[in-house]
Amino acid sequence: MADKSNSDILYTIVDEAPELASASLLPIIRTFAKAADINVGTKDISLAARIISTFPESLTDAQRQANDLAELGELVKTPAANVIKLPNISASVPQLVAAVTELQSQGYALPDYPEEPGTDEEKAIRARYDGIKGSAVNPVLREGNSDRRAAKAVKNYAQNNPHSMGKWASDSKTKVSSMPGNDFYANEKSATITATQAGDAKIEFVGKDGAVTVLKDGWTLDEGTVADATFMSAKALGAFLAEAITDTKADGTMFSLHMKATMMKVSDPIIFGHAVKAWLAPVFEKFGAELDALGVNPNSGMGDLLDRVAGSAEIMAAIDAVTADRPGMYMVDSDKGITNLHVPSDVIIDASMPAVIRAGGKGWDAAGDKGDTNCVIPDRCYATIYDESINFFKANGALDVTTAGSVANVGLMAQKAEEYGSHPTTFEAPADGTIRIVLANGETLHSHDVETGDIWRSCTAKKAPIENWIELAMDRQRLTGSEAIFWLDANRAHDAQLIEYVEPALEAAGVSDKFQIMAPREATAQSLKTITAGNDSIAITGNVLRDYLTDLFPILELGTSAKMLSIVKLMQGGGLFETGAGGSAPKHVQQLVEENHLRWDSMGEFCALGESLNFLADAQGNAKAGVLGVAAEAATQGILDHNRSPSRKVGEPDNRDSHYWFARYWAEALASQSDDADLAAHFAPMAKALADGEAAILGELAAAQGKPADLGGYFHTDPAKAALVMRPSTTLNAIID
Ligand SMILES: NC(=O)C1=CN([C@@H]2O[C@H](COP(=O)(O)OP(=O)(O)OC[C@H]3O[C@@H](n4cnc5c(N)ncnc54)[C@H](OP(=O)(O)O)[C@@H]3O)[C@@H](O)[C@H]2O)C=CC1
Ligand SMILES: O=C(O)CCC(=O)C(=O)O
Ligand SMILES: [Mg+2]
């Protein structure tokens, strides 16, 4: 892909719906930017590109691609960074395998993903693929903390045009179930590294016989780093899951499991696998050896398992018998029989729990009907926020969107903070024994007695990111005057260490009275009360709650998290502008392929673009960029004022129509401004052409809908084909090009 080393702004090439949208939007952005001498380059961080750049030796010269993610990862550590980051696929193993298979079918001689690596060569290939797995992009780019909120215009729009919300019945049986103990919450230990403790640390496993295995070394713990260790007991998890299945059946509700197997790419697929085993327990008991021989890995989900056992009538019959005896299961796609346990990446907690709550506590069952569900979230560190939300809405009814205030978020995420940085420091205990962190000075920092299969992990948060996060919170509170709550649980080991940072910093700044510190459950109740009363709150949270809350509150308040403003003020001075807070919406691609309608809403991209241009104006003293940025904000306002966002149904205006309107409002705003006469003169004819062409353009866009669309691939689409599909208006293209 065309990369210009002198790019002023870098726009990311990603996957699925947002990438399709880019095929239409990016040419518009580039044309507008060029008029102000702004170069918009691209960096390809799609799953396909990341696979391709990992195996250059297997590919031809023409097929090879540079490692754009690594380059971007370096760029974000410099003041020059100005990156617009769209959501990308964080691949589960089944998705990764599907992407490799597609690339192979396109002539890329990539190695297969070794499911069970035996030889050293296979192990090496597997390690390279594992680097691509899960959330392999965001943690690399997020060299700053997170400021996510709804822009005022977006919030006003939502209040005036309320989305539909499910009704909450006070006798709803929907609930959250979590382990009673022996989970990550219960077993957590935490300490802040002192000067004498700092240096190269190790994680070791000590067997019952005293033999020491190093699980991790070359691991530096700096002074001031908050370092945790905890584990979840596999036995306790198994017992809890069995109980939850029985309990769901007794309640007459659906079983649902909400995990983040993408971001927690080591721990959560294992927990997911335990759920698959618990669900099919009698089958695993009776056919354990056969399942092993067929290469079944429960962590990959029921879909993979069913494919592997399809040839055995006996096992299939046993599965059917168990299923008949189980409670109903929450479905991803009831038409296609895709269940919650099909693949670990279909039900992702940040999006799935808010969807259940927005629907009034309902999920979809196998018959395609809505019903109450037991939301199983094994670990208690953060499950309480959903439990409390459900309790609140049962007692008070659904949120009134027309009057509700807003919860913004300031999230600690820089430099792989907390759980989301724990990929290299999470282990499944190989046997009964002890896992411990040994510091550079020989001291043992934390130690846990574990049993085979227990999931042990260490998480860290560095000093500079923590201090920067507190500063950002103070800035946002000062600018808004809102209620501001640090969502920290004084009874949790890790949070207690953070509080040691927060309290003195607030005191030193003389603003202690402006902030509260509350455990997540209490903070949820308080924030819901605040927004119900029409007021705003700032949730100042760690990384996981940042992720959860920036879907939960927007989905309740705005109907979707796609419209969020998502700014990452990079610690070295650059800017990273994430678009929306949601994902890459695979369902949207399916709809486009079937009926050529793309319901992706680019509001997140519009908001990020305005911010990026304004940032460029400040950073480079580029006044024209500022004029473009202010006009982009006016265009965004125009989309909202005139209801130009995409609709969900084929035959109605879609993503492409919204881009036409964005271009038109943008050109009109530029033509009518008086800060820069050259830009006004440049855009006046374009504004006129776009207005004059309205009927022709909308007609051409509408005519494209209603039939299947060919993209030449799913993970690795053909850019020419995608451009044909996404730019069907020759009238519009003639104006833009
Ligand atoms: N920042 C990032 O890079 C992120 C990446 N992801 C990745 O995205 C993929 C899908 O994740 P999933 O959890 O299903 O989340 P998604 O947010 O993609 O999907 C959930 C639902 O959100 C709605 N939605 C999200 N964005 C938009 C948008 N711009 N316009 C309209 N609707 C939108 C859609 O709802 P409806 O169908 O009701 O219209 C969609 O079906 C995964 O690979 C995941 O890892 C996820 C989160 C963030
Ligand atoms: O990186 C990912 O996998 C998802 C990120 C995400 O959901 C978020 O940051 O809100
Ligand atoms: Mg998220």
Side-chain angles (χ1 to χ4, degrees):
M1 281 298 139
D3 161 41
K4 303 185 186 71
S5 46
N6 60 339
S7 298
D8 302 294
I9 293 174
L10 283 169
Y11 204 83
T12 54
I13 296 175
V14 290
D15 325 84
E16 294 181 328
E19 187 48 32
L20 293 170
S22 293
S24 153
L25 183 58
L26 190 53
I28 295 172
I29 295 175
R30 281 190 154 142
T31 297
F32 278 68
K34 206 170 145 212
D37 237 349
I38 297 167
N39 221 334
V40 181
T42 55
K43 288 284 174 200
D44 191 346
I45 55 172
S46 64
L47 176 59
R50 288 182 281 129
I51 295 171
I52 290 170
S53 69
T54 300
F55 294 97
E57 75 283 1
S58 306
L59 306 174
T60 65
D61 277 349
Q63 289 173 331
R64 281 184 199 142
Q65 258 177 263
N67 188 341
D68 280 9
L69 175 61
E71 281 179 45
L72 267 188
E74 288 307 312
L75 180 72
V76 292
K77 292 180 187 152
T78 71
N82 186 336
V83 180
I84 298 180
K85 157 70 178 61
L86 281 71
N88 59 280
I89 293 180
S90 294
S92 62
V93 170
Q95 281 174 304
L96 183 58
V97 170
V100 171
T101 307
E102 178 178 316
L103 285 164
Q104 288 169 335
S105 77
Q106 293 176 350
Y108 289 75
L110 294 160
D112 288 334
Y113 176 82
E115 302 265 0
E116 282 175 54
T119 65
D120 283 350
E121 195 197 342
E122 283 169 352
K123 282 182 190 150
I125 293 171
R126 170 66 181 260
R128 287 161 85 187
Y129 272 127
D130 283 352
I132 306 169
K133 211 167 69 179
S135 306
V137 171
N138 286 322
V140 174
L141 301 184
R142 290 172 169 172
E143 275 291 319
N145 292 306
S146 161
D147 168 13
R148 285 187 185 176
R149 55 199 139 95
K152 194 84 200 122
V154 169
K155 180 68 186 172
N156 289 344
Y157 174 85
Q159 289 186 326
N160 296 329
N161 302 272
H163 55 277
S164 69
M165 292 268 264
K167 274 210 167 59
W168 270 94
S170 57
D171 61 350
S172 164
K173 287 185 183 159
T174 291
K175 66 179 182 188
V176 171
S177 296
S178 300
M179 293 168 71
N182 228 339
D183 56 352
F184 293 125
Y185 181 81
N187 295 326
E188 189 172 75
K189 298 178 183 182
S190 183
T192 302
I193 300 294
T194 64
T196 54
Q197 292 175 324
D200 280 348
K202 276 187 289 205
I203 300 173
E204 295 177 340
F205 172 76
V206 187
K208 287 283 178 204
D209 58 358
V212 177
T213 314
V214 176
L215 299 175
K216 172 90 190 158
D217 57 7
W219 182 47
T220 310
L221 291 176
D222 298 325
E223 184 184 353
T225 294
V226 173
D228 317 336
T230 186
F231 74 99
M232 178 179 275
S233 154
K235 263 191 206 145
L237 174 64
F240 159 73
L241 289 165
E243 169 76 30
I245 293 169
T246 310
D247 179 45
T248 310
K249 184 143 187 198
D251 271 357
T253 59
M254 277 180 266
F255 178 89
S256 62
L257 176 73
H258 303 264
M259 296 269 79
K260 185 94 182 184
T262 49
M263 284 207 95
M264 298 307 299
K265 67 175 167 183
V266 182
S267 58
D268 285 20
I270 299 173
I271 299 174
F272 181 89
H274 279 281
V276 171
K277 274 186 280 185
W279 188 263
L280 294 181
V283 181
F284 276 91
E285 269 152 37
K286 187 159 178 214
F287 298 101
E290 287 87 339
L291 294 176
D292 258 356
L294 289 167
V296 166
N297 177 1
N299 301 5
S300 290
M302 208 88 98
D304 179 74
L305 182 147
L306 289 172
D307 284 348
R308 289 176 192 270
V309 304
S312 164
E314 207 189 349
I315 301 180
M316 288 303 287
I319 291 175
D320 287 344
V322 173
T323 309
D325 188 46
R326 292 302 191 206
M329 197 192 287
Y330 174 88
M331 300 299 284
V332 169
D333 187 337
S334 44
D335 293 342
K336 298 204 171 97
I338 311 263
T339 70
N340 187 161
L341 296 182
H342 190 78
V343 286
S345 53
D346 271 350
V347 177
I348 308 183
I349 185 167
D350 58 342
S352 62
M353 279 305 301
V356 166
I357 296 173
R358 179 183 56 186
K362 303 288 181 191
W364 298 100
D365 68 13
D369 295 323
K370 284 184 171 182
D372 291 346
T373 175
N374 183 7
C375 304
V376 176
I377 306 173
D379 181 56
R380 289 170 299 167
C381 284
Y382 306 105
T384 51
I385 66 155
Y386 298 119
D387 187 48
E388 191 62 28
S389 300
I390 288 171
N391 294 343
F392 186 89
F393 293 123
K394 275 187 199 168
N396 299 292
L399 191 71
D400 180 352
V401 178
T402 62
T403 57
S406 193
V407 180
N409 181 269
V410 172
L412 169 59
M413 74 173 185
Q415 300 177 355
K416 306 187 174 75
E418 302 184 327
E419 286 92 333
Y420 284 169
S422 66
H423 307 157
T425 51
T426 301
F427 305 94
E428 213 170 2
D432 292 0
T434 301
I435 299 184
R436 65 187 186 195
I437 295 178
V438 181
L439 297 170
N441 65 2
E443 230 180 278
T444 294
L445 183 70
H446 304 307
S447 153
H448 288 102
D449 291 337
V450 293
E451 295 178 310
T452 310
D454 288 354
I455 309 162
W456 185 97
R457 75 176 178 223
S458 173
C459 310
T460 57
K462 294 188 179 148
K463 181 178 180 181
I466 296 170
E467 290 175 343
N468 174 278
W469 166 68
I470 300 168
E471 291 284 330
L472 184 59
M474 292 195 277
D475 284 350
R476 292 306 309 158
Q477 196 286 327
R478 195 179 54 249
L479 288 168
T480 58
S482 295
E483 167 183 286
I485 303 173
F486 280 89
W487 292 44
L488 296 172
D489 178 354
N491 294 318
R492 200 188 140 188
H494 168 78
D495 289 11
Q497 297 294 312
L498 284 189
I499 291 171
E500 296 284 317
Y501 270 103
V502 171
E503 282 180 335
L506 296 180
E507 229 161 84
V511 293
S512 300
D513 59 322
K514 305 267 194 300
F515 293 85
Q516 290 164 276
I517 297 178
M518 288 182 177
R521 180 184 293 284
E522 286 69 39
T524 304
Q526 171 69 30
S527 304
L528 285 170
K529 237 201 279 170
T530 300
I531 61 170
T532 300
N535 298 315
D536 297 337
S537 188
I538 304 173
I540 309 149
T541 70
N543 211 347
V544 174
L545 281 179
R546 167 201 62 76
D547 181 23
Y548 291 8
L549 299 190
T550 57
D551 271 329
L552 177 62
F553 288 110
I555 286 174
L556 296 176
E557 295 173 29
L558 315 173
T560 171
S561 58
K563 299 184 177 179
M564 290 294 275
L565 184 58
S566 221
I567 300 172
V568 185
K569 204 169 155 200
L570 297 169
M571 287 168 62
Q572 303 305 326
L576 171 67
F577 306 94
E578 299 196 29
T579 80
S584 49
K587 276 187 206 160
H588 295 201
V589 184
Q590 197 184 326
Q591 188 182 18
L592 179 94
V593 168
E594 283 166 11
E595 52 189 29
N596 206 336
H597 178 91
L598 185 66
R599 71 174 194 266
W600 179 261
D601 186 335
S602 299
M603 184 54 63
E605 282 79 277
F606 300 155
C607 290
L609 176 66
E611 291 293 324
S612 166
L613 287 165
N614 291 334
F615 181 80
L616 186 66
D618 286 344
Q620 294 186 357
N622 181 338
K624 282 186 193 299
V627 173
L628 227 55
V630 170
E633 284 171 350
T636 306
Q637 182 75 53
I639 296 283
L640 294 168
D641 289 347
H642 302 284
N643 249 322
R644 301 298 186 196
S645 295
S647 105
R648 300 167 65 89
K649 293 214 184 79
V650 66
E652 295 174 1
D654 79 352
N655 176 268
R656 294 163 283 198
D657 297 73
S658 73
H659 294 168
Y660 158 70
W661 289 109
F662 185 75
R664 176 157 162 198
Y665 298 142
W666 199 5
E668 286 173 353
L670 285 162
S672 62
Q673 51 78 35
S674 50
D675 291 329
D676 188 307
D678 292 343
L679 283 178
H682 178 89
F683 281 99
M686 189 191 283
K688 182 170 185 317
L690 286 166
D692 290 347
E694 177 179 328
I697 292 167
L698 296 182
E700 287 161 2
L701 293 178
Q705 289 198 38
K707 35 195 176 277
D710 174 21
L711 301 169
Y714 184 87
F715 296 99
H716 194 235
T717 56
D718 176 344
K721 286 185 175 174
L724 268 184
V725 172
M726 290 307 300
R727 306 189 71 205
S729 167
T730 47
T731 310
L732 178 60
N733 298 349
I735 300 170
I736 298 300
D737 298 338

